[in-house]
Amino acid sequence: MLSEVWPFVETHHQAGRPVVLARLVGRDGPGSRPLGATMAVADDGTWRGSLSGGCVEGIVLDRARAVLAGDPPHMTAVDPGEDLLPWEDAPACAGELRVLITPAPPEPARSAISTALAEDRPLAVRVGLRPPQRWSTAATTDQLPDMGDAFTEELTRRPRLLLIGATDLAAVLATLATTLHRKVVVLDPRPGHVASGAFTGTTADVVRSWPDDWIARHPLAARDAVVVLSHDPRIDDRALRAALAGPAGYVAALGSRATHAQRLRRLTDTPGLDRLVGPAGLDLGGASLAESALSILGELVAVENGRGGRRLRDGSLPVRATRAAAHPQPIKS
């Protein structure tokens, strides 16, 4: 995905170094990465991203570096087993990959992508698969020009993760959630908590506000998530009532089972209460802040993809979900 490698692309662009992109635009058979997966390769030898999780990256790097050295942009077919010795087993994901290798987009496409990602705005991006591999961007796919044989990616707004309570756990959650391509907003009406400094170094927006007031001004969407962490019912309950009244796909509350039982009694008549997940998180048995944050985010990802959070070796579904669930449901114990 362009968003995964774009900070790398921008860093090298600002330094005046050329970058070539290798993008997965077609595949025969199963694979570990979705169409649109992207590698970015700079002429200083560094690179980011992956197309298969490891089994073709060396091959693709060589072909991308050849383009950096002057070869023309092109489509190429990559077989995950093509560099194996005759007696070595081919990987299970042995389907042929079709990869477009082309320089990073020139202006004005480059600036449009950078602006959309920086401002968290949707953008449709299309690149031709045949020479001269032109790039085009527009607000929606309907507005893109018809290029014939082309690949289109839609950059979407990041789903929001609202963390209620500016706590140490919220700071760890904010750090981890950023890697999940989430826009993190921390809400807390208490000035001392907002000014604690715990969020220095994170990209979270830390806002001094009652959560229900903020949600009223910034309505939630189906892909958004809310986790209450303050342990103060005066704050948490207002957040939960506001969140459950909207379409947020994951609404969860931290606390013990006894605390959650008390919470449910207080919120008995709240519409949407059956959607509330509590205690928040998967049963990992961890105790540290990082382990607790991993537990909560693991459950969020499972719910978003319509999965139960069980061990992979005990399941029969594909290892990776092909799409997120249309209507995420809380994990049932």
Side-chain angles (χ1 to χ4, degrees):
M1 304 298 151
L2 287 174
S3 60
E4 294 176 340
V5 301
W6 203 254
F8 176 87
V9 173
E10 277 291 87
T11 295
H12 285 279
H13 173 78
Q14 296 301 325
R17 288 187 289 268
V19 175
V20 160
L21 301 182
R23 308 194 68 204
L24 180 61
V25 298
R27 178 176 54 224
D28 296 328
S32 61
R33 296 282 287 149
L35 295 184
T38 303
M39 290 176 64
V41 185
D43 75 345
D44 65 351
T46 59
W47 57 282
R48 294 290 187 278
S50 69
L51 303 187
S52 70
C55 56
V56 303
E57 276 64 19
I59 300 168
V60 174
L61 276 172
D62 289 342
R63 298 181 189 180
R65 286 169 176 159
V67 172
L68 280 167
D71 283 2
H74 60 280
M75 283 281 294
T76 185
V78 182
D79 183 344
E82 68 183 64
D83 61 349
L84 296 176
L85 296 174
W87 56 84
E88 294 180 311
D89 290 335
C93 53
E96 182 181 85
L97 308 182
R98 292 181 290 282
V99 180
L100 174 66
I101 301 180
T102 182
E107 297 294 353
R110 186 199 66 80
S111 291
I113 295 169
S114 295
T115 300
L117 291 174
E119 298 180 357
D120 209 28
R121 291 191 291 102
L123 185 74
V125 182
R126 179 168 289 166
V127 58
L129 300 182
R130 301 183 184 277
Q133 286 95 12
R134 291 191 304 271
W135 291 78
S136 180
T137 63
T140 66
T141 55
D142 293 342
Q143 297 172 315
L144 289 169
D146 184 1
M147 295 182 178
D149 197 8
F151 184 78
T152 302
E153 179 179 347
E154 294 184 75
L155 305 179
T156 59
R157 289 189 180 93
R158 289 176 296 164
R160 290 174 295 181
L161 172 60
L162 270 58
L163 302 177
I164 310 304
T167 64
D168 283 350
L169 176 56
V172 179
L173 274 165
T175 300
L176 293 181
T178 301
T179 66
L180 298 178
H181 199 56
R182 292 243 169 208
K183 180 177 177 59
V184 180
V185 181
V186 181
L187 302 173
D188 200 313
R190 300 168 294 186
H193 285 68
V194 170
S196 70
F199 297 88
T200 302
T202 75
T203 59
D205 293 336
V206 184
V207 183
R208 182 187 173 189
S209 174
W210 286 96
D212 51 335
D213 292 341
W214 191 94
I215 292 172
R217 298 191 304 271
H218 306 85
L220 301 175
R223 295 178 64 219
D224 293 334
V226 179
V227 182
V228 299
L229 306 164
S230 79
H231 286 295
D232 185 336
R234 295 169 297 179
I235 299 172
D236 288 349
D237 289 2
R238 290 175 65 161
L240 291 173
R241 289 191 180 96
L244 292 170
Y250 178 77
V251 181
L254 188 70
S256 67
R257 293 183 179 88
T259 296
H260 190 63
Q262 291 177 341
R263 180 184 294 121
L264 292 177
R265 286 194 292 271
R266 291 195 307 271
L267 300 174
T268 297
D269 297 325
T270 301
L273 188 59
D274 60 318
R275 295 171 43 228
L276 176 60
V277 177
L282 299 179
D283 184 9
L284 303 183
S288 70
L289 291 175
E291 290 168 336
S292 297
L294 180 63
S295 168
I296 292 169
L297 291 177
E299 182 178 48
L300 168 56
V301 171
V303 170
E304 190 172 58
N305 288 292
R307 296 296 182 91
R310 65 192 299 184
R311 300 177 74 180
L312 286 173
R313 75 176 193 178
D314 296 332
S316 58
L317 293 172
V319 170
R320 291 168 181 84
T322 55
R323 62 180 178 85
H327 301 286
Q329 298 294 324
I331 291 176
K332 302 299 184 182
S333 58

